[in-house]
Amino acid sequence: MGTQPQTFDEATLREAIESANLPTLLMVMFQLTGDRRWIAEPYRPKRAKGMSDNDTGGFAPEIQDEVRAAAYDILQEWRGGRPVAVPLPDDEMLVELIATCVGEEVPSEFGPMFAEDMRASLEGDRPHPHVEDGAVLSVIIVGAGISGLAAAVELNAAGIRATIFEKNPDVGGTWWENRYPGCGVDTPSHVYSLSYQPRRWSTYYGKRDEVLDYVRDVARKTGVVDQVQFETAVESAVWDEGTQRWTVTTRTAEGVVSEHVANVVITAVGQLNRPAVPAIPGAETFTGRQFHSAEWPEGFDVAGLRVGVVGSGASAMQIVPAVADRVSSLTVFQRSPQWIAPSFNYSSPVPEPVHWLMDNVPNYRLWYRLRLSWLINDRLYPSLEIDPAWPHPERSINAHNDGHRRALTRYIQEELAGRDDLLEKSLPTYPPFGKRMLIDNGWYAALRKEGVELVTDGVASIDETGLTTTAGQHVELDVIVYATGFEAKKMLYPMDIRGRDGVSIRERWGDEDAKAYLGLTVPDFPNLMVMYGPNLNLGHGGSYMFAGECQARYIAQMCALLTERHVASFEVRRDVHDDYNQRVDAQHARMIWSHRGMDTWYRNSAGRIVTNSPWRVVDYWNMTRTVNPDDFVLAPAAEGELVEAGS
């Protein structure tokens, strides 16, 4: 726990403490002193409101002053050499501390997960499988976004060096591809980070350029960037039962086609990487500029232009406030309104004193991150489970959910006060969290601006000069932006992946019904691991970074198992796969995304939830923590040895 005292002057320390998040600071004070009064009344923080940072802890001013004064003395004593009293709390104490920090009950089962994160931070790493001679195993990773980099880092720690093929000229995946105005995360920056790679984030919610720089830093600092072959797209992967190896065909930007042989293939292409553009009659006749939000032309400026944004989801939420003051006119074509939560610090810079605390005060960064992790993850889960006895299914699904609805409705009414026309169009009729919850980054303020119009009629057609709605309104435009999402259900498209007996993944899944054990592996496709696969999207909130690390750890264990057992292939048992997916579907039947009338990109045409995970974060962490070899058929080598890396 930062046992090496730092050098700091009195003025710097006092300024930093004035900027501190008091619930976080109290946890540090307890660890430094072991004095339980800092986790008892009157120093127990109140429950945070929504996503608020709750910097004051809900304390009266005099209690805030007492905490800050005591923190100054405690940190001065630590700087003077006083040993840390509680360097590493046990699981039970850790749950108690987190519950105190967030001001609400935290179930004991979360202790081991939080403890692993704390130990990893304190010790600089977490346990990894180890392969004595990793060169005997050849692994190909498709994609150098967050998933691909996480997998490569974990494999490197195990002693296995993978080759990564990336179709783009740089790492970053979706963060390299998306460059539209306002693009950024809607997860707090300090949680949208890998556990082993902290960053001095400039804002509490990172914007695209900084997030991309972060991903580049991860690739560079871990050395993974040297394993990437850029501008090289994977066209196909074919399993050879005779050799028990994959043949992967790639094509470079210059058109050079090559074949590569590997024991294991890991797809890390994500769910949100192939734009979905609606087929609107007449679109080809439009004489202005039109493009999907994920294909925003680099350097293109909409200043002074008449812009139409088709869609009102996450991408539109970021684009509209970013351009509203610069365009000649802005028309938003909304299919359905979204529930939008208030933002407390979405655009706020992280003050330098806060950076100083994270850099110099022992465990401050860790507690800040752990606290945020709880606030944005499983805390919300009870609001998403359908109560069959709930008497108002037309508006909500349980009492918790109804409370969110009331609070969110009040917020929308306050933001659109005096604009009944906008309120009528903006207040959703479905339960909160039925679609992705968005964060208000200036959306309602943008809708109120002169020159901005919100249209709720459908889009009927496009002609040379603009767009016509189903109500017959024609809107003249210079630019049409399709903020219409991605082909999320059509996973691994357009790659041609063929497993045992030549079966195609498209034949197995179709275009919208992907299934995999743990979202990772599929019968008849030996030695294939799918990151961010079926039922892995975090529908109830949280950071994909954590899920990516869980998957990467599991994959590294599977690769290590190949060498430890001296086998050539692993394949999930069909009964294990089928039982898991039956449990996924059964749990989803109790979740909000299966609620009557819900229409989202999470569901296929038959109503099955394909993209979202039905599990809590802690559930998936437990499921992927340790590989159970009995879940797999482990086949001995049919011919020769494992192919060496680079062969």
Side-chain angles (χ1 to χ4, degrees):
M1 180 189 174
T3 55
Q4 188 65 38
Q6 306 297 307
T7 300
F8 43 77
D9 60 60
E10 177 180 338
T12 299
L13 179 57
R14 289 195 184 281
E15 181 184 23
I17 289 174
E18 282 298 317
S19 299
N21 175 272
L22 295 188
T24 300
L25 189 60
L26 282 162
M27 299 306 102
V28 174
M29 292 163 65
F30 168 75
Q31 280 195 272
L32 288 175
T33 64
D35 189 341
R36 293 189 63 87
R37 73 180 175 128
W38 300 121
I39 55 173
E41 293 294 352
Y43 306 114
R44 293 180 65 88
K46 305 298 185 291
R47 187 177 187 270
K49 178 183 177 182
M51 282 297 298
S52 165
D53 260 4
N54 196 27
D55 282 340
T56 68
F59 298 130
E62 59 271 19
I63 299 296
Q64 295 179 43
D65 292 342
E66 287 179 28
V67 171
R68 293 189 178 100
Y72 177 84
D73 292 338
I74 290 168
L75 285 166
Q76 287 285 32
E77 290 173 7
W78 171 75
R79 184 182 69 164
R82 176 177 173 173
V84 176
V86 189
L88 186 61
D90 61 24
D91 293 0
E92 183 178 354
M93 178 176 284
L94 188 55
V95 169
E96 179 188 358
L97 294 177
I98 291 203
T100 301
C101 187
V102 298
E104 60 186 308
E105 182 181 355
V106 175
S108 60
E109 62 193 299
F110 285 83
M113 183 177 76
F114 287 135
E116 181 181 88
D117 226 33
M118 175 168 277
R119 290 190 183 98
S121 176
L122 295 176
E123 298 167 7
D125 206 353
R126 64 184 75 230
H128 304 279
H130 180 67
V131 177
E132 287 296 330
D133 185 6
V136 304
L137 193 69
S138 176
V139 179
I140 286 175
I141 299 173
V142 185
I146 290 167
S147 295
L149 297 181
V153 168
E154 195 70 31
L155 288 172
N156 285 346
I160 302 167
R161 184 178 174 86
T163 297
I164 307 171
F165 294 116
E166 169 54 56
K167 63 179 170 45
N168 294 324
D170 198 354
V171 300
T174 188
W175 294 110
W176 184 87
E177 293 168 357
N178 286 267
R179 52 175 60 90
Y180 57 79
C183 182
V185 298
D186 54 10
T187 301
S189 303
H190 292 93
V191 179
Y192 198 81
S193 308
L194 295 164
S195 63
Y196 47 81
Q197 190 76 56
R199 181 185 177 89
R200 288 179 119 244
W201 292 99
S202 66
T203 58
Y204 287 101
Y205 287 81
K207 292 300 184 185
R208 179 261 184 182
D209 289 352
E210 187 170 8
V211 177
L212 179 57
D213 283 346
Y214 172 76
V215 180
R216 287 168 173 159
D217 285 346
V218 171
R220 177 178 54 82
K221 291 178 180 178
T222 60
V224 169
V225 68
D226 297 329
Q227 299 168 233
V228 185
Q229 294 186 30
F230 292 109
E231 297 187 282
T232 304
V234 169
E235 296 190 331
S236 66
V238 179
W239 175 255
D240 186 320
E241 185 64 19
T243 62
Q244 292 175 289
R245 298 167 186 166
W246 286 95
T247 298
V248 175
T249 302
T250 61
R251 182 184 296 272
T252 67
E254 292 77 27
V256 178
V257 176
S258 304
E259 290 188 347
H260 314 265
V261 177
N263 302 111
V264 178
V265 170
I266 302 165
T267 63
V269 297
Q271 291 184 12
L272 309 178
N273 72 322
R274 298 288 175 177
V277 179
I280 301 174
E284 71 282 355
T285 67
F286 184 59
T287 57
R289 300 287 296 269
Q290 58 179 326
F291 45 81
H292 190 274
S293 59
E295 297 171 332
W296 193 285
E298 188 165 9
F300 180 63
D301 190 357
V302 295
L305 301 178
R306 299 168 298 178
V307 177
V309 176
V310 180
S312 59
S315 298
M317 271 280 301
Q318 296 182 340
I319 293 170
V320 168
V323 305
D325 289 329
R326 297 164 44 218
V327 297
S328 171
S329 67
L330 178 60
T331 308
V332 181
F333 299 91
Q334 173 184 277
R335 187 178 67 172
S336 63
Q338 305 283 349
W339 285 110
I340 299 173
S343 168
F344 296 90
N345 56 7
Y346 185 85
S347 300
S348 303
V350 179
E352 186 56 35
V354 173
H355 284 309
W356 188 92
L357 287 167
M358 293 189 179
D359 293 342
N360 293 279
V361 172
N363 267 16
Y364 186 91
R365 184 194 305 274
L366 173 61
W367 275 110
Y368 187 82
R369 175 182 159 93
L370 285 179
R371 188 176 156 279
L372 279 178
S373 296
W374 169 254
L375 293 179
I376 69 167
N377 283 329
D378 292 336
R379 178 201 200 200
L380 289 172
Y381 194 85
S383 301
L384 311 184
E385 294 181 288
I386 297 171
D387 177 359
W390 180 245
H392 304 293
E394 75 286 353
R395 75 184 190 210
S396 51
I397 59 168
N398 61 37
H400 286 291
N401 190 265
D402 201 56
H404 284 294
R405 182 186 186 94
R406 292 194 300 272
L408 293 168
T409 297
R410 285 195 299 271
Y411 177 70
I412 296 172
Q413 290 170 337
E414 291 167 1
E415 289 296 306
L416 297 177
R419 289 294 304 271
D420 290 347
D421 58 323
L422 286 177
L423 183 60
E424 182 181 357
K425 296 176 180 179
S426 299
L427 197 60
T429 57
Y430 57 87
F433 304 101
K435 298 182 181 182
R436 178 177 176 178
M437 181 64 67
L438 303 177
I439 296 178
D440 188 7
N441 62 331
W443 172 260
Y444 294 121
L447 292 183
R448 299 180 68 118
K449 291 181 178 180
E450 185 177 351
V452 177
E453 182 181 7
L454 180 64
V455 175
T456 56
D457 298 315
V459 176
S461 63
I462 296 174
D463 59 21
E464 295 91 338
T465 62
L467 185 153
T468 301
T469 70
T470 52
Q473 176 187 2
H474 184 267
V475 182
E476 293 195 353
L477 299 168
D478 301 309
V479 180
I480 300 174
V481 180
Y482 298 102
T484 46
F486 298 85
E487 299 281 3
K489 294 183 288 292
K490 200 171 183 178
M491 296 185 190
L492 302 187
Y493 175 82
M495 290 186 293
D496 181 15
I497 298 179
R498 297 183 179 272
R500 193 183 307 283
D501 299 324
V503 63
S504 164
I505 200 74
R506 289 268 70 78
E507 295 169 5
R508 175 60 54 82
W509 285 350
D511 284 341
E512 58 169 15
D513 198 26
K515 298 178 182 178
Y517 176 54
L518 300 176
L520 280 167
T521 187
V522 186
D524 294 328
F525 292 84
N527 293 14
L528 176 70
M529 303 300 281
V530 182
M531 299 190 76
Y532 200 178
N535 299 115
L536 268 177
N537 190 60
L538 297 173
H540 71 293
S543 169
Y544 176 72
M545 296 286 197
F546 184 84
E549 289 192 59
C550 289
Q551 296 166 66
R553 174 178 55 196
Y554 190 89
I555 290 169
Q557 290 182 28
M558 285 305 311
C559 290
L561 191 65
L562 282 180
T563 61
E564 291 168 1
R565 299 289 183 98
H566 303 289
V567 295
S569 71
F570 59 81
E571 180 182 348
V572 65
R573 288 168 32 198
R574 186 171 297 279
D575 61 320
V576 170
H577 169 275
D578 292 350
D579 175 71
Y580 174 80
N581 281 282
Q582 287 170 7
R583 289 188 286 119
V584 165
D585 292 345
Q587 184 61 25
H588 266 311
R590 297 188 283 269
M591 302 300 291
I592 191 168
W593 307 296
S594 297
H595 188 59
R596 65 190 191 190
M598 293 307 309
D599 178 22
T600 75
W601 58 271
Y602 307 148
R603 303 172 67 168
N604 64 16
S605 56
R608 180 175 175 270
I609 309 299
V610 178
T611 61
N612 275 18
S613 170
W615 314 122
R616 297 175 304 169
V617 170
V618 70
D619 297 328
Y620 192 71
W621 175 81
N622 274 310
M623 291 175 187
T624 56
R625 192 178 184 188
T626 305
V627 167
N628 181 1
D630 293 339
D631 290 341
F632 295 85
V633 176
L634 303 175
E639 177 183 311
E641 301 294 331
L642 296 174
V643 59
E644 290 192 5
S647 298

